[in-house]
Structures are given as structure tokens and as C-alpha cells.
Amino acid sequence: MPPKKKVDSERDVKKFIAEEDRLRAAKSHDRGLANISRVTEWHEGKQKGDFAEDAKRSKSFIREEMDCCRTELRERRRARLLELYEQEARLYEGELAAKGLAVQQDLH
């Protein structure tokens, strides 16, 4: 029979406890990293969602702004055209008056 090894149970128990403590610390660290990962994913998703929402709002704002600009430009052009027609009419009436003629206007 081979000689029996002396078993140092106290040393084995301390080694076992140290290993368990190391594993517990590693698991705790892993859970902390998992929590951080979940929070990070949530924030990144939120930023992407916010960006998409901001882009949508920005598009609608730009569309509204362009519609307002288009309407204002149309009104300005109409006003200028009306002013031009009136100016040309006065000029034409002046030329006719210089020749002793006049334009008959219908007043409705």
C-alpha cells in the first residue's frame, strides 16, 4: 500500500473559501458590467430614437417654413406686379394726356 498523505484540512478549507470569495467577486463584477451594458444600450437606443424624432420634427419644420416662404414670395410678387401695372397705367395715361387724349375707365 502506498503511504497515506497527510491531509491538511485547514489549509484546504482556507483555499476553498478563498476560491469561493474570488468567484463571488467575479460574479458580482460580471453583474455590474451587465447592468452597465443594459443602461448603455438603453441610452444608445434612446439617442437613436431621439435623433429620428428630431429629424422628423426638423423635416416638418422645414416643410412648414418652406410653405410660409412660398406663400410670402407669392404675395410679394403679386403686390409688385400690381404696382407695376398701376405704374404703367399712370405712365400710359400721362402719355395720352400729353397728346390730348384720355382713357375711359369703368368704375364698378
Side-chain angles (χ1 to χ4, degrees):
M1 248 169 92
K4 289 187 179 181
K5 291 183 181 177
K6 186 176 177 185
V7 177
D8 190 7
S9 62
E10 189 175 325
R11 190 182 74 201
D12 288 341
V13 169
K14 286 182 181 179
K15 185 177 176 183
F16 176 77
I17 290 172
E19 183 68 18
E20 286 295 313
D21 287 343
R22 187 184 69 77
L23 289 174
R24 189 177 306 112
K27 285 181 183 179
S28 175
H29 182 69
D30 183 51
R31 278 193 299 270
L33 289 178
N35 286 340
I36 291 171
S37 176
R38 280 193 302 273
V39 170
T40 302
E41 286 176 17
W42 181 84
H43 281 288
E44 286 176 352
K46 184 79 171 133
Q47 285 178 340
K48 289 177 185 175
D50 287 349
F51 177 75
E53 194 172 308
D54 287 346
K56 191 187 312 178
R57 274 194 220 124
S58 182
K59 269 187 174 179
S60 68
F61 174 75
I62 290 171
R63 190 177 304 116
E64 287 176 17
E65 191 69 22
M66 290 303 293
D67 288 343
C68 288
C69 288
R70 196 175 301 116
T71 303
E72 184 178 347
L73 181 62
R74 192 177 311 128
E75 289 173 1
R76 286 183 179 193
R77 284 179 177 168
R78 283 181 183 161
R80 285 183 183 168
L81 194 58
L82 183 62
E83 186 180 318
L84 176 67
Y85 288 160
E86 289 173 353
Q87 181 184 6
E88 286 180 349
R90 284 191 302 270
L91 199 75
Y92 183 64
E93 288 174 4
E95 289 177 1
L96 288 176
K99 295 180 180 179
L101 302 171
V103 175
Q104 183 177 359
Q105 296 181 353
D106 291 335
L107 299 176
H108 293 270

